[in-house]
Amino acid sequence: MIAFHVDRAGSVPAYAQLVQQVREALRLGLLHPGDKLPTVREVVTSCAVNAATVLKAYRELELSGLVEARQGAGTYVSGTLGGSVDPAVMGELRGRLTTWVGDARTAGLEDDDLRALMTSVLAEPPGELTAEQRAARAARSADATDPQSSESGARP
């Protein structure tokens, strides 16, 4: 079962955070059709939010076809998101991403920096070179055609 958390310091409304957490759990394979979500009372208690907030999140998830409310039984996952990625592949990628995030934090980047970097990479069309890669390629090309630049550093 998913354990919700609400960031009160952030600008995202609490209900939207709950919706996003369910969507992320579905994408990561942590939730599957048939899994039960916590009751409204459990979420209210664990996250210190109003019951209307939880009901709004569950209603939005229901309208999008991801969950279904069963009278007297609770709310259950009924849909899926994303492709059918092999869990082993997902685990390997998650491990590499964890290492990358650790390296980025060691280099002094903050969470907002990481989000901005990730957003910029995701915005690039697949298969195309990044701006940095295009600049590096252009620099290598210029060096290769410049008669003044040579391996020995000697000038004619």
Side-chain angles (χ1 to χ4, degrees), residues 80-117:
T80 61
L81 284 175
S84 55
V85 177
D86 179 359
V89 171
M90 185 67 86
E92 178 189 342
L93 291 171
R94 188 178 201 296
R96 289 171 33 202
L97 182 58
T98 300
T99 301
W100 179 84
V101 168
D103 292 346
R105 285 185 173 145
T106 299
L109 275 71
E110 296 178 1
D111 286 356
D112 287 341
D113 301 323
L114 298 177
R115 283 186 200 93
L117 188 55

Side-chain angles (χ1 to χ4, degrees), residues 21-76:
Q21 288 171 49
V22 169
R23 295 177 72 83
E24 288 174 358
L26 285 166
R27 287 193 185 282
L28 294 172
L30 303 174
L31 282 176
H32 303 92
D35 288 349
K36 185 177 180 183
L37 294 183
T39 65
V40 172
R41 180 174 284 154
E42 290 169 340
V43 179
V44 166
T45 302
S46 67
C47 296
V49 294
N50 188 297
T53 299
V54 182
L55 290 169
K56 182 175 182 176
Y58 281 13
R59 178 78 174 134
E60 185 171 314
L61 290 164
E62 190 172 14
L63 290 173
S64 64
L66 296 176
V67 302
E68 66 179 350
R70 299 180 189 163
Q71 188 66 30
T75 304
Y76 291 82

Side-chain angles (χ1 to χ4, degrees), residues 9-20:
S11 61
V12 178
Y15 85 92
Q17 292 181 46
L18 299 176
V19 169
Q20 185 61 32

